[in-house]
């Protein structure tokens, strides 16, 4: 507790200095710095409230004699008031300073001053008297008119951005890059407001023709954070634009997925599927550039864990969700398979991409033999100096684990001599780095392992 007290005091001094510099966020530099620190300041306010609620008002003033100045500066900063839950937490903090039974004129004055700040916060989004009279004359109360005004303003800006996106090189009708950049900066503290979502989407989808990205990095980070925390819902097309325009956001989403999988006590295939679909990664991966980044991170995880079964299972569930999304979005592939799997044979990728259950039962064995032949050719019949390695073929094969499961089932039902092609296929699946001699030995032991292999697939 003592350490928490020291940390809070240090943070208090830091934010007091920041608020003095920010003023009312009137310059471009202070606006940018304010937006950059909004989430951290809100967390500080939350910690401050947790401390204040345990003290009486006299103790608060004794320990933090300038607390009134700090909260007042925050109350008059429009960016802070507009950000997420900061307005609500400020109200909580101010309420902690009120003397429920003032004993002297000083305490009464403090109460009156705090009530003024609370009134300012609660009326920050209201209109002045003249505008109120005008809206009332139209039949609106200001409190009813404001949401409609905000919604119409957002839709108007979003429409302008869409036109900007379609106008291409028609510079006379395009929105100035500086204005687009300014909009993205202003949106940072407002991102979690539902009415602002159309503007956020329009900013993400609108691609300018400048050589460098014009949207603010803080905007990209704030949108991605809001998506991860489920504070905003955007269509997949907008999320794709976010991840394509700001790669760290895609990488952070992948790491967030890994963290959820690791922190979960037990991950059955159904639970993994829920995590993946909820992340929007499988839907967004229909774009080859996103698929390649996601797949590369899976590759790194696979190498780091030395082919851990949990990672293989996650890759297979992701691939199944990806194929479903691909089929749902397009009747036929918009992009060649080579763009998704550049290091392997397109003919091999095409046959693996089929759902085993969609293949007629009478063709199962023939298809499995064909897959085995293509893989064996890629692995064992490489020309001297080929840059491809057995790992690339295996990495492609494990994406489609249903074929290995079907091979095991076919071996289990085989009454005669087990087909060599199926034995090789399973030996390669479970031992991709084995040499020919070691793989031959594994093939001899495969028939006795089939029941265990099927049990592992079912888990």
């Amino acid at each position: 507790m003592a350490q928490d007290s020291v940390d809070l005091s240090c943070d208090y001094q830091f934010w007091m200095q920041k608020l003095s510099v920010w003023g009312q966020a009137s310059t471009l530099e202070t606006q940018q710095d304010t937006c950059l620190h909004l989430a951290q300041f809100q967390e500080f306010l939350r910690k401050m409230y947790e401390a204040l609620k345990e003290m009486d008002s006299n103790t608060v003033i004794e320990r933090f004699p300038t607390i009134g100045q700090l909260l007042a500066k925050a109350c008059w900063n429009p960016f802070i008031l507009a950000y997420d839950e900061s307005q609500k937490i400020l109200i909580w903090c101010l309420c902690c300073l009120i003397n429920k039974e003032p004993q002297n004129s000083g305490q009464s004055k403090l109460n009156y001053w705090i009530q003024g700040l609370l009134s300012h916060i609660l009326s920050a989004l209201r209109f002045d008297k003249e505008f109120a009279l005008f809206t009332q004359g139209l039949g609106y109360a200001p409190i009813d008119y404001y949401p409609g005004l905000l919604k119409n303003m957002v839709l108007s800006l979003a429409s302008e951005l869409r036109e900007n996106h379609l106008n291409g090189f028609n510079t006379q009708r395009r929105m100035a890059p500086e204005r687009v950049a300014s909009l993205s900066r202003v949106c940072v503290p407002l991102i979690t407001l539902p009415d602002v979502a159309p503007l956020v989407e329009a900013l993400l989808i609108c691609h300018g023709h400048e050589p460098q990205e014009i949207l603010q990095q803080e905007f990209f980070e704030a949108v991605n954070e809001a998506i991860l925390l489920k504070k905003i819902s955007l269509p997949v097309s907008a999320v794709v634009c976010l991840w394509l325009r700001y790669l760290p956001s895609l990488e952070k989403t992948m790491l967030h997925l890994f963290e959820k999988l690791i922190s979960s006590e037990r991950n059955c295939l159904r639970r993994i599927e829920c995590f993946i679909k909820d992340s929007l990664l499988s839907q967004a991966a229909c774009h080859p550039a996103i698929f390649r980044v996601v797949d590369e991170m899976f590759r790194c995880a696979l190498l780091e864990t030395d082919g851990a079964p949990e990672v293989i299972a996650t890759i297979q569930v992701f691939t199944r969700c990806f194929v479903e999304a691909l089929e749902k979005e397009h009747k036929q592939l918009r992009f060649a398979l080579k763009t998704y799997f550049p290091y392997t044979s397109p003919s091999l990728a095409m046959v693996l991409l089929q759902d085993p259950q969609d293949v007629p039962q009478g063709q199962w064995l023939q298809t499995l033999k064909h897959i085995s032949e293509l893989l064996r050719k890629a692995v064992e019949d490489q020309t001297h100096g080929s840059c491809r390695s057995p790992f690339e073929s295996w990495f492609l094969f494990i994406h489609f684990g249903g074929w290995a499961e079907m091979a095991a089932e076919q071996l289990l039902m085989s009454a005669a001599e087990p087909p060599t092609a199926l034995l090789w296929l399973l030996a390669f699946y479970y031992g991709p780095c084995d040499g020919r001699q070691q793989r031959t030995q594994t093939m001899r032991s495969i028939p006795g392992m089939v029941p265990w292999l099927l049990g592992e697939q079912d888990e």
Side-chain angles (χ1 to χ4, degrees):
M1 291 293 292
Q3 183 61 45
D4 291 344
S5 177
V6 172
D7 291 343
L8 185 59
S9 297
C10 293
D11 290 345
Y12 182 93
Q13 296 302 324
F14 172 81
W15 291 115
M16 191 68 180
Q17 292 175 6
K18 276 288 184 188
L19 287 164
S20 298
V21 172
W22 289 345
Q24 295 185 27
S26 56
T27 67
L28 177 61
E29 290 75 12
T30 55
Q31 288 177 8
Q32 290 177 328
D33 193 51
T34 304
C35 291
L36 184 63
H37 291 86
L38 283 172
Q40 295 168 268
F41 182 68
Q42 179 175 278
E43 185 59 30
F44 162 73
L45 282 179
R46 198 181 296 277
K47 290 179 182 177
M48 177 60 70
Y49 168 67
E50 292 298 324
L52 296 180
K53 72 179 183 180
E54 301 297 329
M55 312 177 198
D56 59 48
S57 58
N58 292 328
T59 306
V60 171
I61 300 302
E62 181 180 339
R63 183 174 171 189
F64 301 104
T66 57
I67 184 68
Q69 295 178 39
L70 184 144
L71 294 177
K73 290 177 185 294
C75 289
W76 284 97
N77 189 304
F79 281 69
I80 293 174
L81 285 184
Y83 180 72
D84 200 26
E85 298 184 330
S86 295
Q87 187 183 52
K88 177 175 68 176
I89 303 172
L90 274 172
I91 292 173
W92 292 347
C93 290
L94 287 169
C95 288
C96 291
L97 304 187
I98 294 177
N99 284 278
K100 295 180 180 178
E101 297 179 0
Q103 302 296 318
N104 52 55
S105 60
Q107 292 180 349
S108 298
K109 288 180 180 179
L110 178 63
N111 282 358
Y112 181 77
W113 179 77
I114 292 170
Q115 289 167 4
L117 281 179
L118 289 171
S119 176
H120 164 70
I121 293 176
L122 295 173
S123 63
L125 297 179
R126 294 180 187 172
F127 301 94
D128 55 34
K129 290 183 179 179
E130 290 76 12
F131 195 85
L133 290 172
F134 173 72
T135 54
Q136 288 172 5
L138 294 175
Y140 293 100
I143 197 168
D144 297 324
Y145 187 81
Y146 170 73
L149 178 64
L150 174 63
K151 184 176 181 180
N152 289 337
M153 182 174 66
V154 165
L155 292 177
S156 176
L157 287 169
S159 177
E160 189 175 353
L161 283 165
R162 280 192 294 269
E163 290 179 8
N164 185 70
H165 179 59
L166 296 173
N167 283 333
F169 292 99
N170 186 349
T171 55
Q172 292 183 342
R173 298 185 61 189
R174 279 170 49 203
M175 186 185 291
E178 295 78 13
R179 189 178 177 210
V180 177
S182 176
L183 278 175
S184 70
R185 183 171 58 252
V186 170
C187 272
V188 170
L190 307 173
I191 280 168
T192 55
L193 295 178
D195 286 341
V196 180
L199 181 56
V200 173
E201 179 186 347
L203 281 166
L204 291 172
I205 292 175
C206 177
H207 289 277
H209 301 276
E210 291 69 31
Q212 294 182 338
E213 178 60 66
I214 59 175
L215 298 185
Q216 299 291 302
Q217 178 180 325
E218 294 81 7
F219 171 76
F220 289 130
E221 292 174 349
V223 173
N224 199 59
E225 189 70 16
I227 292 172
L228 292 179
L229 296 177
K230 303 301 178 187
K231 290 188 174 183
I232 187 174
S233 179
L234 294 173
V236 175
S237 57
V239 177
V240 168
C241 290
L242 166 66
W243 291 343
L244 288 176
R245 297 178 73 168
Y246 188 64
L247 182 59
S249 61
L250 174 55
E251 294 170 341
K252 187 172 183 179
T253 302
M254 277 294 291
L255 292 175
H256 184 73
L257 173 63
F258 285 140
E259 288 172 2
K260 289 179 72 173
L261 291 170
I262 292 170
S263 62
S264 182
E265 292 183 2
R266 175 161 178 81
N267 285 319
C268 61
L269 297 183
R270 179 72 66 180
R271 190 173 180 82
I272 294 173
E273 181 178 344
C274 288
F275 284 152
I276 289 173
K277 288 186 174 180
D278 189 55
S279 70
L280 300 180
L281 286 164
S282 57
Q283 300 94 309
C286 291
H287 193 291
I290 291 179
F291 178 88
R292 293 280 297 280
V293 173
V294 171
D295 209 40
E296 190 61 32
M297 293 188 73
F298 276 134
R299 181 198 299 264
C300 292
L302 200 62
L303 291 170
E304 288 289 332
T305 59
D306 197 24
E310 296 84 355
V311 178
I312 293 177
T314 302
I315 292 173
Q316 291 174 352
V317 174
F318 168 79
T319 306
R320 186 169 68 246
C321 295
F322 157 69
V323 173
E324 287 178 5
L326 209 58
E327 292 175 347
K328 184 177 180 180
E329 186 175 342
H330 313 295
K331 296 297 181 183
Q332 57 184 6
L333 286 175
R334 284 178 56 193
F335 303 96
L337 275 179
K338 193 73 174 175
T339 58
Y340 295 101
F341 305 103
Y343 305 115
T344 51
S345 162
S347 57
L348 176 59
M350 182 62 78
V351 69
L352 289 174
L353 200 60
Q354 299 177 91
D355 186 334
Q357 301 304 320
D358 290 340
V359 177
Q361 186 172 356
Q363 298 178 21
W364 284 354
L365 184 58
Q366 179 184 351
T367 306
L368 286 167
K369 286 181 177 180
H370 182 49
I371 292 172
S372 180
E373 178 186 347
L374 291 172
L375 277 170
R376 193 163 189 170
K377 182 178 180 182
V379 172
E380 297 182 354
D381 298 337
Q382 297 181 66
T383 57
H384 180 69
S386 172
C387 62
R388 292 180 183 175
S389 67
F391 176 83
E392 296 300 339
S393 298
W394 177 74
F395 185 55
L396 173 66
F397 186 39
I398 65 163
H399 281 70
F400 306 95
W403 290 109
E405 184 177 357
M406 179 174 282
E409 291 174 352
Q410 289 294 299
L411 282 176
L412 189 63
M413 294 185 296
S414 179
E417 186 72 18
T420 303
L422 301 192
L423 294 175
W424 187 94
L425 200 61
L426 288 174
F428 176 65
Y429 183 82
Y430 290 99
C433 297
D434 293 348
R436 290 192 184 187
Q437 185 175 356
Q438 189 175 354
R439 188 171 293 126
T440 301
Q441 293 175 354
T442 304
M443 288 168 64
R444 296 193 186 102
S445 61
I446 285 288
M449 299 169 58
V450 168
W452 175 81
L453 295 178
L454 286 172
E456 184 188 65
Q457 293 285 346
D458 291 337
E459 290 181 0

